Amino acid sequence: MTRSFTALSRVVRESGLLGRTRWFYAALVTTLSLALGGVITGFILLGDSWFQLLMAGALGLILTQFAFLAHEASHRQVLESGPANDRVGRILAAGVVGISYSWWMTKHTRHHANPNKIGKDPDIEWDTISFTETDAAKQKGLLAAITRKQGYLFFPLLTLEGLNLHARSLTTLMERRPVKGRWIELGLIAAHFTVYLGAIFWVLPLGMAFAFIGVQMAVFGVYMGASFAPNHKGMALIPADSKLDFFSKQVLTSRNISGGLWASTLLGGLNYQVEHHLFPNMPRPHLAKAREIVREHCATVGVPYTETTLAQSYGIVIRYLNQVGLSARDPFDCPMVNQFRRV
């Protein structure tokens, strides 16, 4: 399998799919900047109006798109130079979006090295949501009640994910261990929130200001979570003591989302998750072509290649989380007694 992946990599490289696409990212940055400028203009013109909540929602969408771009920079997809990608990624993540680039890099690098591997992948560690039955069985009280219905509660809980991302990244920057670019990021994040919160509370009445922040954070959290969740949730979990070759590990734990260009635009290229995990530094415009090559290779070597629609992926995620959540039930619960209680 390792030799077959070497052959696949050679085909991909010789096809020119690892080459940079500066024109695409220049156009993307320009488009997102214009969109952000439009929201700022609308915010200023609307003034004291509840229509500002539309601007808040639009801002949440645009900041998520900037987060996608920072994610691509962290993978060296945008520019040829690693340091240049890091500079762009840090400015976008900390300065524009308001989250720590170093925190994201550390967490996401660990995820790519061991996707869906228990004890190794931070994306399946417990954080209100339990992704393994072992974690679900540990929950007590209110957390157990949430866990039992966590599939149905997944999207409502994502409305708080924006706040969670900001809080966790700031916590990392405040830790005493060495953090690369700590003071640069703290300065950028401080500037981000000074401008963001200053403008909101200067222009809007107090109640409307908090409503604006709530809507923006909710949209940002739902959009981020709904974009990353279809990639691996509900796919195979790798036991902590198992060893798999790189190709099998990445393909068997990843799920693509069909839809082509519209899905790639909506999800920031995350719809080509299999190809992204196999070739993490491949620019977004080349992932569609790589998909055809990888699908053919998987069929040749007999490795399952998973692709679903976006709606189907959400159904899989909800069912999987509810199934895991059953482990949070009290083992002494009597189904007959519960039935009479409902009656």
Side-chain angles (χ1 to χ4, degrees), residues 313-332:
S313 74
Y314 290 148
I316 292 169
V317 171
I318 290 170
R319 287 193 298 272
Y320 168 72
L321 291 178
N322 278 337
Q323 181 180 354
V324 170
L326 293 177
S327 300
R329 291 183 303 181
D330 186 338
F332 298 104

Side-chain angles (χ1 to χ4, degrees), residues 38-56 203-205 208 212:
V39 168
I40 294 172
T41 302
F43 175 81
I44 294 171
L45 294 177
L46 282 173
D48 183 357
S49 167
W50 284 104
F51 284 108
Q52 291 282 15
L53 298 187
L54 296 176
M55 295 296 102
V203 173
L204 303 179
M208 192 180 298
F212 185 100

Side-chain angles (χ1 to χ4, degrees), residues 130-191:
S130 295
F131 297 105
T132 66
E133 293 181 355
T134 301
D135 285 337
K138 295 177 183 177
Q139 308 311 315
K140 304 295 182 184
L142 177 60
L143 287 176
I146 292 174
T147 303
R148 285 193 293 269
K149 301 294 184 181
Q150 64 179 5
Y152 300 127
L153 294 174
F154 179 63
F155 285 100
L157 286 172
L158 285 181
T159 58
L160 301 175
E161 181 62 11
L163 293 172
N164 183 47
L165 291 174
H166 289 295
R168 293 187 69 182
S169 63
L170 278 176
T171 299
T172 299
L173 291 175
M174 296 298 183
E175 292 176 353
R176 293 187 176 183
R177 64 179 180 83
V179 178
K180 187 175 182 180
R182 182 201 308 270
W183 296 110
I184 295 175
E185 291 188 17
L186 283 173
L188 288 171
I189 291 174

Side-chain angles (χ1 to χ4, degrees), residues 6-26:
T6 301
L8 172 65
S9 299
R10 186 181 307 114
V11 172
V12 167
R13 186 171 55 255
E14 291 175 353
S15 299
L17 299 181
L18 297 179
R20 301 304 89 182
T21 54
R22 295 181 181 179
W23 58 270
F24 170 80
Y25 288 107

Side-chain angles (χ1 to χ4, degrees), residues 182-259:
R182 182 201 308 270
W183 296 110
I184 295 175
E185 291 188 17
L186 283 173
L188 288 171
I189 291 174
H192 166 87
F193 280 107
T194 298
V195 173
Y196 173 74
L197 297 177
I200 290 172
F201 286 103
W202 179 267
V203 173
L204 303 179
L206 189 61
M208 192 180 298
F210 280 111
F212 185 100
I213 295 169
V215 170
Q216 186 269 303
M217 287 291 181
V219 171
F220 175 66
V222 171
Y223 193 6
M224 285 285 284
S227 299
F228 281 91
N231 304 337
H232 303 281
K233 304 301 181 283
M235 295 298 293
L237 290 180
I238 302 175
D241 57 351
S242 294
K243 292 184 178 180
L244 282 177
D245 63 276
F246 175 80
F247 178 78
S248 299
K249 175 170 59 178
Q250 303 298 340
V251 175
L252 293 175
T253 60
S254 301
R255 178 192 298 113
N256 274 19
I257 302 300
S258 60

